[in-house]
Amino acid sequence: METKMKKDTQIVSTGRKKEYTHGVVNPVVQRASTIVFDSVAQMKEAVKNRANKTLFYGRRGTTTHFALQDAITELENGAGCALYPSGAAAISNAIISFVKSGDHILMVDTAYEPTRDFCRVILNNMGVETTYYDPLIGEGIRDLIRPNTRLLFLESPGSISMEVQDVPLLSRIAHEHNMVVMLDNTYGNGYHFKPLDFGVDISIQAATKYIVGHSDVMMGVAVANEEHWPQLRENSYLMGQCTSADDAYLALRGLRTLSVRLQQHEKSALKIANWLSTHPLIDHVRHPALETCPGHEYFKRDFSGSNGLFSFVMKAGNQAAINALLDGLDHFKMGYSWGGFESLITANMGLQGLRSATGWQHGPIIRIHVGLEDCDDLLADLEQGLQQYQAYLE
Ligand SMILES: Cc1ncc(COP(=O)(O)O)c(C=O)c1O
């Protein structure tokens, strides 16, 4: 009798068809621009099946890409997966694949900053209007929907301030109005959250983060359901989106250890988050698994776990204190990406320019990515950094 594989078995086994691996464990790295055909009949066959994992032309992918696409499609419970040279490319190309001049879209206020910039510059130039909405808007989203609203974009938890959204509710309302629903699932990474199971049409990830997992490849993925896959695939292809076979290989290698890496990130991050929660300088911690994170109830309901990324809000602060904290740390390096094995930190005095539908009525917000270093070293690092922070407060 066939039983459904458990998640950890799935990420080890998926995408390992014999035609991709030729009998070894990992897929062969098949680099190609030109595919050569020996007969007209063979070439015609390739043209006919070019969208269906048949070697046709490099931009449509080789068996290395097909292996990764199979794996991510399975991870996200979708019908197909498009690959892009970065997470930002995945977001912009997925959106452009479904809008035209005169359309209106609803974008979550907590979107990753370059997603907002893309709307402000590129969509605006195309004649597509964007309205930002509060990530916790719930039923209120109905009031923002216009006859020409074509697309609802979510990011959950949101960038920096980490609000978790009610994905099934928002998806259901959007579908009542024939909108396409997309979600930036970089945090949920397909292992801890599967947006298509909650009503989303297209789940997008910066695979750069947890899937690659080693801070050495830029890549984006977008997984669509049956209904939206042909349009996403063909429009992304028309826009020339593709990745190198070497990068596809590295992403697939990263995926194999996703579960064990996440377990360690989660364990250390929770220990640090709980410690920060009781620190006298800190107002509250925005870790989705803690009650102090807005939308925590949706996280508890929809996600199967957390990871190394979270934020905390200071009671008071100034730029000099923030600089002293950032400069004073040894293990937490300053950096914008996350999801690798290393610990990282960024800080904002407020969220000026990053929010328009909501404000920021709190103190400075600090985001950390807890890496795979020993947690005690990380705690000691933060403790001495916060002492330096305190020295700059009146
Ligand atoms: C939530 C989120 N989405 C998308 C991206 C963009 O990914 P990339 O850097 O691969 O373009 C990032 C990068 O930091 C991110 O944090």
Side-chain angles (χ1 to χ4, degrees):
M1 197 182 79
E2 209 176 300
T3 51
K4 192 165 172 10
M5 260 186 259
K6 298 257 193 286
K7 280 200 296 185
D8 287 357
T9 313
Q10 187 189 47
I11 64 165
V12 167
S13 315
T14 184
R16 283 174 55 196
K17 284 186 192 160
K18 275 258 161 47
E19 64 209 75
Y20 304 152
T21 62
H22 300 281
V24 299
V25 175
N26 290 292
V28 171
V29 178
Q30 195 177 37
R31 298 187 193 88
S33 54
T34 306
I35 313 291
V36 287
F37 306 100
D38 291 333
S39 67
V40 173
Q42 205 183 55
M43 193 169 195
K44 275 193 174 153
E45 194 60 19
V47 172
K48 196 170 90 197
N49 295 317
R50 64 182 185 262
N52 189 23
K53 301 200 190 96
T54 295
L55 288 176
F56 164 71
Y57 181 59
R59 197 158 7 86
R60 283 273 184 190
T62 66
T63 53
T64 323
H65 302 93
F66 302 158
L68 176 63
Q69 287 171 307
D70 279 4
I72 305 288
T73 303
E74 203 176 322
L75 182 75
E76 294 258 14
N77 287 339
C81 168
L83 303 178
Y84 304 87
S86 68
I91 293 164
S92 56
N93 282 277
I95 294 175
I96 286 187
S97 294
F98 288 88
V99 294
K100 61 180 187 329
S101 176
D103 283 348
H104 170 244
I105 73 162
L106 293 174
M107 173 60 64
V108 65
D109 208 30
T110 47
Y112 171 61
E113 189 178 3
T115 304
R116 289 182 75 99
D117 293 342
F118 164 76
C119 297
R120 183 175 49 80
V121 179
I122 309 284
L123 286 188
N124 191 43
N125 287 344
M126 282 173 59
V128 176
E129 197 184 340
T130 305
T131 298
Y132 291 92
Y133 67 90
D134 182 334
L136 302 171
I137 193 167
E139 288 279 345
I141 196 85
R142 292 183 189 280
D143 300 335
L144 302 180
I145 298 174
R146 305 177 190 167
N148 63 338
T149 309
R150 177 78 189 113
L151 191 150
L152 174 72
F153 196 99
L154 303 90
E155 183 181 318
S156 182
S159 275
I160 307 173
S161 47
M162 306 299 288
E163 294 88 341
V164 185
Q165 299 192 257
D166 189 346
V167 177
L169 175 76
L170 295 169
S171 301
R172 185 165 50 73
I173 295 171
H175 285 146
E176 285 170 17
H177 296 266
N178 294 321
M179 293 158 64
V180 183
V181 181
M182 298 184 185
L183 185 143
D184 183 332
N185 193 33
T186 304
Y187 180 97
N189 63 65
Y191 188 84
H192 281 149
F193 184 52
K194 297 180 189 290
L196 272 56
D197 293 354
F198 292 84
V200 170
D201 298 309
I202 299 179
S203 173
I204 303 163
Q205 286 192 51
T208 309
K209 313 287 189 271
Y210 278 124
I211 289 185
V212 165
H214 295 74
S215 304
D216 51 3
V217 174
M218 302 293 300
M219 186 176 295
V221 295
V223 174
N225 58 16
E226 248 355 300
E227 184 187 345
H228 295 86
W229 171 233
Q231 186 164 338
L232 177 73
R233 181 191 66 220
E234 292 308 311
N235 287 12
S236 297
Y237 177 70
L238 288 178
M239 288 185 277
Q241 298 301 310
C242 60
T243 66
S244 79
D246 297 86
D247 285 350
Y249 177 90
L250 287 171
L252 200 50
R253 187 161 77 164
L255 179 69
R256 304 302 180 199
T257 57
L258 179 65
S259 163
V260 285
R261 284 185 284 111
L262 286 174
Q263 282 172 41
Q264 190 57 43
H265 285 297
E266 176 174 45
K267 193 167 145 212
S268 296
L270 278 170
K271 187 169 173 189
I272 292 173
N274 282 317
W275 176 77
L276 289 168
S277 294
T278 60
H279 196 284
L281 289 176
I282 291 165
D283 185 65
H284 67 282
V285 174
R286 290 187 170 216
H287 184 302
L290 300 192
E291 278 176 9
T292 46
C293 187
H296 162 72
E297 63 273 31
Y298 308 125
F299 178 82
K300 234 172 50 178
R301 185 189 65 190
D302 301 341
F303 284 66
S304 62
S306 59
N307 56 48
L309 190 75
F310 71 94
S311 297
F312 52 96
V313 179
M314 307 303 292
K315 283 181 182 155
N318 53 56
Q319 196 58 53
I322 288 178
N323 293 351
L325 168 68
L326 298 182
D327 286 344
L329 295 169
D330 285 330
H331 300 301
F332 287 89
K333 305 288 183 204
M334 281 169 264
Y336 291 110
S337 201
W338 48 274
F341 49 79
E342 76 287 8
S343 288
L344 293 168
I345 187 163
T346 55
N348 288 66
M349 266 305 282
L351 295 173
Q352 295 89 346
L354 299 178
R355 302 286 182 263
S356 47
T358 58
W360 182 251
Q361 286 83 33
H362 306 283
I365 181 162
I366 295 169
R367 186 181 78 173
I368 58 175
H369 177 254
V370 176
L372 302 179
E373 302 90 342
D374 189 292
C375 192
D376 289 340
D377 287 337
L378 298 179
L379 279 169
D381 204 23
L382 285 172
E383 185 158 26
Q384 60 87 22
L386 288 169
Q387 276 166 17
Q388 306 202 25
Y389 187 96
Q390 183 158 29
Y392 283 83
L393 302 180
E394 270 108 30

